[in-house]
PDB file of all heavy atoms in Angstrom:
ATOM      1  N   LEU A 297       0.837  -1.166  -0.006  1.00  0.00           N
ATOM      2  CA  LEU A 297       0.017  -0.014  -0.025  1.00  0.00           C
ATOM      3  C   LEU A 297       0.850   1.241  -0.043  1.00  0.00           C
ATOM      4  O   LEU A 297       0.584   2.235  -0.702  1.00  0.00           O
ATOM      5  CB  LEU A 297      -0.872  -0.043   1.208  1.00  0.00           C
ATOM      6  CG  LEU A 297      -2.207  -0.948   1.245  1.00  0.00           C
ATOM      7  CD1 LEU A 297      -2.908  -0.834   2.541  1.00  0.00           C
ATOM      8  CD2 LEU A 297      -3.090  -0.641   0.014  1.00  0.00           C
ATOM      9  N   LEU A 298       1.832   1.267   0.787  1.00  0.00           N
ATOM     10  CA  LEU A 298       2.778   2.461   0.942  1.00  0.00           C
ATOM     11  C   LEU A 298       3.450   2.673  -0.463  1.00  0.00           C
ATOM     12  O   LEU A 298       3.645   3.832  -0.917  1.00  0.00           O
ATOM     13  CB  LEU A 298       3.710   2.323   1.937  1.00  0.00           C
ATOM     14  CG  LEU A 298       3.252   2.387   3.463  1.00  0.00           C
ATOM     15  CD1 LEU A 298       4.232   1.905   4.436  1.00  0.00           C
ATOM     16  CD2 LEU A 298       2.761   3.805   3.701  1.00  0.00           C
ATOM     17  N   ARG A 299       3.867   1.548  -1.059  1.00  0.00           N
ATOM     18  CA  ARG A 299       4.703   1.670  -2.322  1.00  0.00           C
ATOM     19  C   ARG A 299       3.718   2.267  -3.361  1.00  0.00           C
ATOM     20  O   ARG A 299       4.072   3.214  -4.287  1.00  0.00           O
ATOM     21  CB  ARG A 299       5.201   0.397  -2.821  1.00  0.00           C
ATOM     22  CG  ARG A 299       6.410  -0.059  -1.762  1.00  0.00           C
ATOM     23  CD  ARG A 299       7.164  -1.146  -2.398  1.00  0.00           C
ATOM     24  NE  ARG A 299       7.967  -0.626  -3.332  1.00  0.00           N
ATOM     25  CZ  ARG A 299       8.636  -1.401  -4.309  1.00  0.00           C
ATOM     26  NH1 ARG A 299       8.502  -2.609  -4.260  1.00  0.00           N
ATOM     27  NH2 ARG A 299       9.371  -0.804  -5.212  1.00  0.00           N
ATOM     28  N   VAL A 300       2.429   1.717  -3.511  1.00  0.00           N
ATOM     29  CA  VAL A 300       1.632   2.279  -4.465  1.00  0.00           C
ATOM     30  C   VAL A 300       1.226   3.618  -4.185  1.00  0.00           C
ATOM     31  O   VAL A 300       1.071   4.551  -5.107  1.00  0.00           O
ATOM     32  CB  VAL A 300       0.220   1.423  -4.492  1.00  0.00           C
ATOM     33  CG1 VAL A 300      -0.776   2.098  -5.338  1.00  0.00           C
ATOM     34  CG2 VAL A 300       0.621   0.026  -5.054  1.00  0.00           C
ATOM     35  N   MET A 301       1.064   3.968  -2.942  1.00  0.00           N
ATOM     36  CA  MET A 301       0.751   5.459  -2.557  1.00  0.00           C
ATOM     37  C   MET A 301       1.887   6.365  -2.943  1.00  0.00           C
ATOM     38  O   MET A 301       1.616   7.510  -3.526  1.00  0.00           O
ATOM     39  CB  MET A 301       0.632   5.371  -1.022  1.00  0.00           C
ATOM     40  CG  MET A 301       0.230   6.849  -0.504  1.00  0.00           C
ATOM     41  SD  MET A 301       0.196   6.846   1.326  1.00  0.00           S
ATOM     42  CE  MET A 301       2.074   6.833   1.845  1.00  0.00           C
ATOM     43  N   LEU A 302       3.158   6.040  -2.709  1.00  0.00           N
ATOM     44  CA  LEU A 302       4.194   6.913  -2.931  1.00  0.00           C
ATOM     45  C   LEU A 302       4.700   6.902  -4.462  1.00  0.00           C
ATOM     46  O   LEU A 302       5.088   8.027  -4.984  1.00  0.00           O
ATOM     47  CB  LEU A 302       5.516   6.564  -2.109  1.00  0.00           C
ATOM     48  CG  LEU A 302       5.319   6.848  -0.572  1.00  0.00           C
ATOM     49  CD1 LEU A 302       6.495   6.116   0.166  1.00  0.00           C
ATOM     50  CD2 LEU A 302       5.221   8.321  -0.226  1.00  0.00           C
ATOM     51  N   VAL A 303       4.564   5.874  -5.095  1.00  0.00           N
ATOM     52  CA  VAL A 303       5.130   5.798  -6.525  1.00  0.00           C
ATOM     53  C   VAL A 303       4.018   6.354  -7.409  1.00  0.00           C
ATOM     54  O   VAL A 303       4.197   7.131  -8.253  1.00  0.00           O
ATOM     55  CB  VAL A 303       5.524   4.307  -6.931  1.00  0.00           C
ATOM     56  CG1 VAL A 303       5.779   4.315  -8.345  1.00  0.00           C
ATOM     57  CG2 VAL A 303       6.654   4.030  -5.985  1.00  0.00           C
ATOM     58  N   TYR A 304       2.693   5.721  -7.356  1.00  0.00           N
ATOM     59  CA  TYR A 304       1.726   6.040  -8.208  1.00  0.00           C
ATOM     60  C   TYR A 304       0.726   7.031  -7.711  1.00  0.00           C
ATOM     61  O   TYR A 304      -0.182   7.622  -8.437  1.00  0.00           O
ATOM     62  CB  TYR A 304       0.820   4.635  -8.509  1.00  0.00           C
ATOM     63  CG  TYR A 304      -0.331   4.846  -9.401  1.00  0.00           C
ATOM     64  CD1 TYR A 304      -0.182   5.191 -10.803  1.00  0.00           C
ATOM     65  CD2 TYR A 304      -1.532   4.706  -8.878  1.00  0.00           C
ATOM     66  CE1 TYR A 304      -1.344   5.407 -11.583  1.00  0.00           C
ATOM     67  CE2 TYR A 304      -2.656   4.835  -9.782  1.00  0.00           C
ATOM     68  CZ  TYR A 304      -2.504   5.153 -11.076  1.00  0.00           C
ATOM     69  OH  TYR A 304      -3.593   5.308 -11.816  1.00  0.00           O
ATOM     70  N   SER A 305       0.912   7.419  -6.428  1.00  0.00           N
ATOM     71  CA  SER A 305      -0.005   8.406  -5.831  1.00  0.00           C
ATOM     72  C   SER A 305      -1.455   7.957  -5.670  1.00  0.00           C
ATOM     73  O   SER A 305      -2.343   8.738  -5.830  1.00  0.00           O
ATOM     74  CB  SER A 305       0.042   9.735  -6.499  1.00  0.00           C
ATOM     75  OG  SER A 305      -0.314  10.783  -5.624  1.00  0.00           O
ATOM     76  N   GLY A 306      -1.715   6.622  -5.329  1.00  0.00           N
ATOM     77  CA  GLY A 306      -3.004   6.146  -5.356  1.00  0.00           C
ATOM     78  C   GLY A 306      -3.662   6.640  -3.989  1.00  0.00           C
ATOM     79  O   GLY A 306      -3.249   6.398  -2.872  1.00  0.00           O
ATOM     80  N   ASN A 307      -4.799   7.354  -4.087  1.00  0.00           N
ATOM     81  CA  ASN A 307      -5.476   7.884  -3.049  1.00  0.00           C
ATOM     82  C   ASN A 307      -6.220   6.846  -2.231  1.00  0.00           C
ATOM     83  O   ASN A 307      -6.310   6.951  -0.964  1.00  0.00           O
ATOM     84  CB  ASN A 307      -6.494   8.961  -3.626  1.00  0.00           C
ATOM     85  CG  ASN A 307      -5.852  10.148  -4.037  1.00  0.00           C
ATOM     86  OD1 ASN A 307      -4.830  10.637  -3.654  1.00  0.00           O
ATOM     87  ND2 ASN A 307      -6.382  10.673  -5.241  1.00  0.00           N
ATOM     88  N   ASP A 308      -6.702   5.743  -2.829  1.00  0.00           N
ATOM     89  CA  ASP A 308      -7.294   4.640  -2.061  1.00  0.00           C
ATOM     90  C   ASP A 308      -6.291   3.950  -1.215  1.00  0.00           C
ATOM     91  O   ASP A 308      -6.483   3.436  -0.113  1.00  0.00           O
ATOM     92  CB  ASP A 308      -8.050   3.717  -3.063  1.00  0.00           C
ATOM     93  CG  ASP A 308      -7.150   3.129  -4.195  1.00  0.00           C
ATOM     94  OD1 ASP A 308      -6.147   3.660  -4.510  1.00  0.00           O
ATOM     95  OD2 ASP A 308      -7.544   2.191  -4.835  1.00  0.00           O
ATOM     96  N   ALA A 309      -5.045   3.956  -1.783  1.00  0.00           N
ATOM     97  CA  ALA A 309      -3.962   3.304  -0.901  1.00  0.00           C
ATOM     98  C   ALA A 309      -3.654   4.133   0.241  1.00  0.00           C
ATOM     99  O   ALA A 309      -3.539   3.621   1.417  1.00  0.00           O
ATOM    100  CB  ALA A 309      -2.652   3.159  -1.792  1.00  0.00           C
ATOM    101  N   ALA A 310      -3.669   5.409   0.240  1.00  0.00           N
ATOM    102  CA  ALA A 310      -3.404   6.342   1.255  1.00  0.00           C
ATOM    103  C   ALA A 310      -4.485   6.196   2.310  1.00  0.00           C
ATOM    104  O   ALA A 310      -4.221   6.165   3.553  1.00  0.00           O
ATOM    105  CB  ALA A 310      -3.232   7.824   0.787  1.00  0.00           C
ATOM    106  N   GLU A 311      -5.807   6.231   1.977  1.00  0.00           N
ATOM    107  CA  GLU A 311      -6.833   6.014   2.929  1.00  0.00           C
ATOM    108  C   GLU A 311      -6.781   4.763   3.644  1.00  0.00           C
ATOM    109  O   GLU A 311      -6.983   4.774   4.872  1.00  0.00           O
ATOM    110  CB  GLU A 311      -8.198   6.272   2.297  1.00  0.00           C
ATOM    111  CG  GLU A 311      -9.315   6.413   3.220  1.00  0.00           C
ATOM    112  CD  GLU A 311     -10.544   7.055   2.652  1.00  0.00           C
ATOM    113  OE1 GLU A 311     -10.379   8.284   2.175  1.00  0.00           O
ATOM    114  OE2 GLU A 311     -11.581   6.464   2.545  1.00  0.00           O
ATOM    115  N   ASN A 312      -6.437   3.648   2.894  1.00  0.00           N
ATOM    116  CA  ASN A 312      -6.368   2.470   3.616  1.00  0.00           C
ATOM    117  C   ASN A 312      -5.200   2.146   4.500  1.00  0.00           C
ATOM    118  O   ASN A 312      -5.154   1.446   5.481  1.00  0.00           O
ATOM    119  CB  ASN A 312      -6.462   1.269   2.470  1.00  0.00           C
ATOM    120  CG  ASN A 312      -7.890   0.920   2.164  1.00  0.00           C
ATOM    121  OD1 ASN A 312      -8.609   0.282   2.827  1.00  0.00           O
ATOM    122  ND2 ASN A 312      -8.307   1.497   1.029  1.00  0.00           N
ATOM    123  N   VAL A 313      -4.118   2.998   4.153  1.00  0.00           N
ATOM    124  CA  VAL A 313      -2.937   2.995   5.035  1.00  0.00           C
ATOM    125  C   VAL A 313      -3.376   3.543   6.407  1.00  0.00           C
ATOM    126  O   VAL A 313      -3.022   3.066   7.590  1.00  0.00           O
ATOM    127  CB  VAL A 313      -1.788   3.800   4.407  1.00  0.00           C
ATOM    128  CG1 VAL A 313      -0.719   4.145   5.497  1.00  0.00           C
ATOM    129  CG2 VAL A 313      -1.099   2.940   3.338  1.00  0.00           C
ATOM    130  N   ALA A 314      -4.092   4.656   6.363  1.00  0.00           N
ATOM    131  CA  ALA A 314      -4.583   5.440   7.527  1.00  0.00           C
ATOM    132  C   ALA A 314      -5.408   4.614   8.366  1.00  0.00           C
ATOM    133  O   ALA A 314      -5.283   4.444   9.643  1.00  0.00           O
ATOM    134  CB  ALA A 314      -5.256   6.731   7.122  1.00  0.00           C
ATOM    135  N   ILE A 315      -6.399   3.902   7.750  1.00  0.00           N
ATOM    136  CA  ILE A 315      -7.289   3.090   8.528  1.00  0.00           C
ATOM    137  C   ILE A 315      -6.664   1.884   9.199  1.00  0.00           C
ATOM    138  O   ILE A 315      -6.974   1.518  10.344  1.00  0.00           O
ATOM    139  CB  ILE A 315      -8.561   2.661   7.644  1.00  0.00           C
ATOM    140  CG1 ILE A 315      -9.362   3.981   7.130  1.00  0.00           C
ATOM    141  CG2 ILE A 315      -9.518   1.727   8.442  1.00  0.00           C
ATOM    142  CD1 ILE A 315     -10.314   3.601   6.105  1.00  0.00           C
ATOM    143  N   ASN A 316      -5.891   1.224   8.518  1.00  0.00           N
ATOM    144  CA  ASN A 316      -5.242  -0.003   8.944  1.00  0.00           C
ATOM    145  C   ASN A 316      -4.179   0.283   9.984  1.00  0.00           C
ATOM    146  O   ASN A 316      -3.955  -0.465  10.897  1.00  0.00           O
ATOM    147  CB  ASN A 316      -4.435  -0.697   7.814  1.00  0.00           C
ATOM    148  CG  ASN A 316      -5.477  -1.684   7.063  1.00  0.00           C
ATOM    149  OD1 ASN A 316      -5.685  -2.815   7.337  1.00  0.00           O
ATOM    150  ND2 ASN A 316      -6.125  -0.960   6.034  1.00  0.00           N
ATOM    151  N   VAL A 317      -3.544   1.525   9.997  1.00  0.00           N
ATOM    152  CA  VAL A 317      -2.573   1.949  11.018  1.00  0.00           C
ATOM    153  C   VAL A 317      -3.223   2.382  12.419  1.00  0.00           C
ATOM    154  O   VAL A 317      -2.851   2.067  13.397  1.00  0.00           O
ATOM    155  CB  VAL A 317      -1.543   2.933  10.368  1.00  0.00           C
ATOM    156  CG1 VAL A 317      -0.765   3.602  11.532  1.00  0.00           C
ATOM    157  CG2 VAL A 317      -0.652   2.286   9.403  1.00  0.00           C
ATOM    158  N   ALA A 318      -4.234   3.304  12.107  1.00  0.00           N
ATOM    159  CA  ALA A 318      -4.727   4.031  13.201  1.00  0.00           C
ATOM    160  C   ALA A 318      -6.102   3.682  13.587  1.00  0.00           C
ATOM    161  O   ALA A 318      -6.720   4.147  14.760  1.00  0.00           O
ATOM    162  CB  ALA A 318      -4.610   5.550  13.113  1.00  0.00           C
ATOM    163  N   GLY A 319      -6.782   2.900  12.734  1.00  0.00           N
ATOM    164  CA  GLY A 319      -8.222   2.492  13.104  1.00  0.00           C
ATOM    165  C   GLY A 319      -9.261   3.320  12.440  1.00  0.00           C
ATOM    166  O   GLY A 319     -10.298   2.854  12.175  1.00  0.00           O
ATOM    167  N   SER A 320      -8.855   4.586  12.103  1.00  0.00           N
ATOM    168  CA  SER A 320      -9.786   5.494  11.356  1.00  0.00           C
ATOM    169  C   SER A 320      -9.038   6.625  10.830  1.00  0.00           C
ATOM    170  O   SER A 320      -7.799   6.940  11.209  1.00  0.00           O
ATOM    171  CB  SER A 320     -10.840   6.114  12.257  1.00  0.00           C
ATOM    172  OG  SER A 320     -10.130   7.064  13.226  1.00  0.00           O
ATOM    173  N   GLU A 321      -9.527   7.194   9.722  1.00  0.00           N
ATOM    174  CA  GLU A 321      -8.833   8.330   9.034  1.00  0.00           C
ATOM    175  C   GLU A 321      -8.633   9.499  10.009  1.00  0.00           C
ATOM    176  O   GLU A 321      -7.534  10.077   9.943  1.00  0.00           O
ATOM    177  CB  GLU A 321      -9.587   8.713   7.810  1.00  0.00           C
ATOM    178  CG  GLU A 321      -9.035   9.939   7.025  1.00  0.00           C
ATOM    179  CD  GLU A 321      -9.779  10.299   5.887  1.00  0.00           C
ATOM    180  OE1 GLU A 321     -10.407   9.408   5.164  1.00  0.00           O
ATOM    181  OE2 GLU A 321      -9.844  11.433   5.519  1.00  0.00           O
ATOM    182  N   GLY A 322      -9.703   9.703  10.855  1.00  0.00           N
ATOM    183  CA  GLY A 322      -9.542  10.980  11.661  1.00  0.00           C
ATOM    184  C   GLY A 322      -8.373  10.836  12.722  1.00  0.00           C
ATOM    185  O   GLY A 322      -7.698  11.752  12.998  1.00  0.00           O
ATOM    186  N   ALA A 323      -8.229   9.531  13.344  1.00  0.00           N
ATOM    187  CA  ALA A 323      -7.203   9.292  14.191  1.00  0.00           C
ATOM    188  C   ALA A 323      -5.960   9.418  13.593  1.00  0.00           C
ATOM    189  O   ALA A 323      -4.980   9.940  14.181  1.00  0.00           O
ATOM    190  CB  ALA A 323      -7.449   7.958  14.833  1.00  0.00           C
ATOM    191  N   PHE A 324      -5.862   8.981  12.437  1.00  0.00           N
ATOM    192  CA  PHE A 324      -4.500   8.984  11.718  1.00  0.00           C
ATOM    193  C   PHE A 324      -4.108  10.425  11.371  1.00  0.00           C
ATOM    194  O   PHE A 324      -3.033  10.826  11.490  1.00  0.00           O
ATOM    195  CB  PHE A 324      -4.522   8.163  10.425  1.00  0.00           C
ATOM    196  CG  PHE A 324      -3.129   8.034   9.580  1.00  0.00           C
ATOM    197  CD1 PHE A 324      -2.408   7.001  10.005  1.00  0.00           C
ATOM    198  CD2 PHE A 324      -2.843   8.918   8.723  1.00  0.00           C
ATOM    199  CE1 PHE A 324      -1.189   6.843   9.443  1.00  0.00           C
ATOM    200  CE2 PHE A 324      -1.565   8.755   8.119  1.00  0.00           C
ATOM    201  CZ  PHE A 324      -0.808   7.724   8.406  1.00  0.00           C
ATOM    202  N   VAL A 325      -5.086  11.229  10.931  1.00  0.00           N
ATOM    203  CA  VAL A 325      -4.845  12.614  10.626  1.00  0.00           C
ATOM    204  C   VAL A 325      -4.283  13.384  11.820  1.00  0.00           C
ATOM    205  O   VAL A 325      -3.509  14.247  11.796  1.00  0.00           O
ATOM    206  CB  VAL A 325      -6.034  13.339  10.099  1.00  0.00           C
ATOM    207  CG1 VAL A 325      -5.937  14.815   9.927  1.00  0.00           C
ATOM    208  CG2 VAL A 325      -6.442  12.784   8.626  1.00  0.00           C
ATOM    209  N   GLY A 326      -4.869  12.946  13.053  1.00  0.00           N
ATOM    210  CA  GLY A 326      -4.408  13.555  14.266  1.00  0.00           C
ATOM    211  C   GLY A 326      -2.787  13.308  14.489  1.00  0.00           C
ATOM    212  O   GLY A 326      -2.118  14.236  14.978  1.00  0.00           O
ATOM    213  N   LEU A 327      -2.486  12.027  14.059  1.00  0.00           N
ATOM    214  CA  LEU A 327      -1.070  11.682  14.293  1.00  0.00           C
ATOM    215  C   LEU A 327      -0.217  12.565  13.204  1.00  0.00           C
ATOM    216  O   LEU A 327       0.895  12.911  13.540  1.00  0.00           O
ATOM    217  CB  LEU A 327      -0.898  10.266  14.080  1.00  0.00           C
ATOM    218  CG  LEU A 327      -1.570   9.451  15.005  1.00  0.00           C
ATOM    219  CD1 LEU A 327      -1.363   7.878  14.611  1.00  0.00           C
ATOM    220  CD2 LEU A 327      -0.949   9.395  16.403  1.00  0.00           C
ATOM    221  N   MET A 328      -0.772  12.851  12.126  1.00  0.00           N
ATOM    222  CA  MET A 328       0.022  13.479  11.122  1.00  0.00           C
ATOM    223  C   MET A 328       0.202  14.942  11.614  1.00  0.00           C
ATOM    224  O   MET A 328       1.345  15.503  11.403  1.00  0.00           O
ATOM    225  CB  MET A 328      -0.834  13.593   9.790  1.00  0.00           C
ATOM    226  CG  MET A 328      -1.050  12.280   9.102  1.00  0.00           C
ATOM    227  SD  MET A 328      -2.177  12.280   7.680  1.00  0.00           S
ATOM    228  CE  MET A 328      -1.151  13.316   6.581  1.00  0.00           C
ATOM    229  N   ASN A 329      -0.819  15.538  12.073  1.00  0.00           N
ATOM    230  CA  ASN A 329      -0.542  16.930  12.809  1.00  0.00           C
ATOM    231  C   ASN A 329       0.339  16.950  13.898  1.00  0.00           C
ATOM    232  O   ASN A 329       1.113  17.954  14.109  1.00  0.00           O
ATOM    233  CB  ASN A 329      -1.957  17.586  13.030  1.00  0.00           C
ATOM    234  CG  ASN A 329      -2.741  17.911  11.891  1.00  0.00           C
ATOM    235  OD1 ASN A 329      -2.217  18.644  10.948  1.00  0.00           O
ATOM    236  ND2 ASN A 329      -3.974  17.482  11.760  1.00  0.00           N
ATOM    237  N   GLU A 330       0.339  15.903  14.735  1.00  0.00           N
ATOM    238  CA  GLU A 330       1.244  15.879  15.785  1.00  0.00           C
ATOM    239  C   GLU A 330       2.761  15.775  15.243  1.00  0.00           C
ATOM    240  O   GLU A 330       3.681  16.370  15.737  1.00  0.00           O
ATOM    241  CB  GLU A 330       1.103  14.701  16.629  1.00  0.00           C
ATOM    242  CG  GLU A 330      -0.200  14.810  17.546  1.00  0.00           C
ATOM    243  CD  GLU A 330      -0.481  13.718  18.413  1.00  0.00           C
ATOM    244  OE1 GLU A 330       0.393  12.678  18.491  1.00  0.00           O
ATOM    245  OE2 GLU A 330      -1.523  13.493  18.879  1.00  0.00           O
ATOM    246  N   LYS A 331       2.988  15.002  14.223  1.00  0.00           N
ATOM    247  CA  LYS A 331       4.241  14.880  13.571  1.00  0.00           C
ATOM    248  C   LYS A 331       4.718  16.073  13.027  1.00  0.00           C
ATOM    249  O   LYS A 331       5.823  16.513  13.109  1.00  0.00           O
ATOM    250  CB  LYS A 331       4.140  13.757  12.562  1.00  0.00           C
ATOM    251  CG  LYS A 331       5.448  13.407  11.871  1.00  0.00           C
ATOM    252  CD  LYS A 331       6.479  12.773  12.866  1.00  0.00           C
ATOM    253  CE  LYS A 331       7.830  12.292  12.074  1.00  0.00           C
ATOM    254  NZ  LYS A 331       8.608  11.688  13.125  1.00  0.00           N
ATOM    255  N   ALA A 332       3.780  16.890  12.383  1.00  0.00           N
ATOM    256  CA  ALA A 332       4.160  18.153  11.741  1.00  0.00           C
ATOM    257  C   ALA A 332       4.553  19.072  12.859  1.00  0.00           C
ATOM    258  O   ALA A 332       5.537  19.862  12.523  1.00  0.00           O
ATOM    259  CB  ALA A 332       2.897  18.730  10.996  1.00  0.00           C
ATOM    260  N   GLN A 333       3.978  19.077  13.915  1.00  0.00           N
ATOM    261  CA  GLN A 333       4.441  20.018  14.953  1.00  0.00           C
ATOM    262  C   GLN A 333       5.678  19.688  15.625  1.00  0.00           C
ATOM    263  O   GLN A 333       6.615  20.444  15.868  1.00  0.00           O
ATOM    264  CB  GLN A 333       3.328  20.099  16.154  1.00  0.00           C
ATOM    265  CG  GLN A 333       1.988  20.761  15.760  1.00  0.00           C
ATOM    266  CD  GLN A 333       2.281  22.250  15.326  1.00  0.00           C
ATOM    267  OE1 GLN A 333       2.847  22.918  16.103  1.00  0.00           O
ATOM    268  NE2 GLN A 333       1.770  22.645  14.136  1.00  0.00           N
ATOM    269  N   GLU A 334       5.932  18.339  15.700  1.00  0.00           N
ATOM    270  CA  GLU A 334       7.169  17.830  16.181  1.00  0.00           C
ATOM    271  C   GLU A 334       8.350  18.307  15.344  1.00  0.00           C
ATOM    272  O   GLU A 334       9.432  18.606  15.877  1.00  0.00           O
ATOM    273  CB  GLU A 334       7.115  16.277  16.229  1.00  0.00           C
ATOM    274  CG  GLU A 334       8.428  15.597  16.606  1.00  0.00           C
ATOM    275  CD  GLU A 334       8.366  14.079  16.292  1.00  0.00           C
ATOM    276  OE1 GLU A 334       7.179  13.468  16.657  1.00  0.00           O
ATOM    277  OE2 GLU A 334       9.367  13.466  15.902  1.00  0.00           O
ATOM    278  N   LEU A 335       8.123  18.219  13.985  1.00  0.00           N
ATOM    279  CA  LEU A 335       9.161  18.627  13.030  1.00  0.00           C
ATOM    280  C   LEU A 335       9.374  20.113  12.912  1.00  0.00           C
ATOM    281  O   LEU A 335      10.275  20.588  12.220  1.00  0.00           O
ATOM    282  CB  LEU A 335       8.779  18.078  11.629  1.00  0.00           C
ATOM    283  CG  LEU A 335       8.821  16.502  11.444  1.00  0.00           C
ATOM    284  CD1 LEU A 335       8.595  16.098  10.234  1.00  0.00           C
ATOM    285  CD2 LEU A 335      10.152  15.873  11.920  1.00  0.00           C
ATOM    286  N   GLY A 336       8.407  20.897  13.473  1.00  0.00           N
ATOM    287  CA  GLY A 336       8.515  22.334  13.327  1.00  0.00           C
ATOM    288  C   GLY A 336       7.840  22.972  12.156  1.00  0.00           C
ATOM    289  O   GLY A 336       8.172  24.115  11.704  1.00  0.00           O
ATOM    290  N   MET A 337       6.928  22.139  11.528  1.00  0.00           N
ATOM    291  CA  MET A 337       6.166  22.672  10.390  1.00  0.00           C
ATOM    292  C   MET A 337       5.061  23.595  10.850  1.00  0.00           C
ATOM    293  O   MET A 337       3.839  23.146  10.900  1.00  0.00           O
ATOM    294  CB  MET A 337       5.770  21.401   9.624  1.00  0.00           C
ATOM    295  CG  MET A 337       6.789  20.658   9.082  1.00  0.00           C
ATOM    296  SD  MET A 337       6.163  18.964   8.308  1.00  0.00           S
ATOM    297  CE  MET A 337       5.247  19.605   6.821  1.00  0.00           C
ATOM    298  N   GLU A 338       5.269  24.789  11.051  1.00  0.00           N
ATOM    299  CA  GLU A 338       4.422  25.662  11.831  1.00  0.00           C
ATOM    300  C   GLU A 338       3.307  26.168  10.917  1.00  0.00           C
ATOM    301  O   GLU A 338       2.225  26.688  11.496  1.00  0.00           O
ATOM    302  CB  GLU A 338       5.337  26.847  12.422  1.00  0.00           C
ATOM    303  CG  GLU A 338       6.373  26.453  13.459  1.00  0.00           C
ATOM    304  CD  GLU A 338       7.044  27.591  14.012  1.00  0.00           C
ATOM    305  OE1 GLU A 338       6.860  28.778  13.450  1.00  0.00           O
ATOM    306  OE2 GLU A 338       7.820  27.420  14.864  1.00  0.00           O
ATOM    307  N   ASN A 339       3.501  26.123   9.518  1.00  0.00           N
ATOM    308  CA  ASN A 339       2.448  26.742   8.699  1.00  0.00           C
ATOM    309  C   ASN A 339       1.748  25.494   7.967  1.00  0.00           C
ATOM    310  O   ASN A 339       1.402  25.581   6.818  1.00  0.00           O
ATOM    311  CB  ASN A 339       3.011  27.741   7.778  1.00  0.00           C
ATOM    312  CG  ASN A 339       3.399  28.997   8.470  1.00  0.00           C
ATOM    313  OD1 ASN A 339       2.474  29.601   9.086  1.00  0.00           O
ATOM    314  ND2 ASN A 339       4.578  29.356   8.350  1.00  0.00           N
TER     315      ASN A 339
END
């Protein structure tokens, strides 16, 4: 799923990565924003 997502940019692969990793898209997006803050991506 990750390879199809990064190489081909498959949106269905990305959504299924999120659900399988975090249980839901919303929970996964929360982790994405936490990671962004951790890296200093302020905008």
Side-chain angles (χ1 to χ4, degrees):
L297 286 176
L298 288 171
R299 296 193 70 196
V300 171
M301 179 187 76
L302 290 172
V303 174
Y304 178 67
S305 203
N307 293 321
D308 53 345
E311 186 159 304
N312 277 283
V313 165
I315 296 171
N316 278 272
V317 168
S320 70
E321 181 178 321
F324 189 88
V325 169
L327 296 175
M328 294 173 72
N329 285 311
E330 288 179 12
K331 184 70 174 180
Q333 290 301 306
E334 174 190 324
L335 296 181
M337 298 171 65
E338 297 180 354
N339 288 302

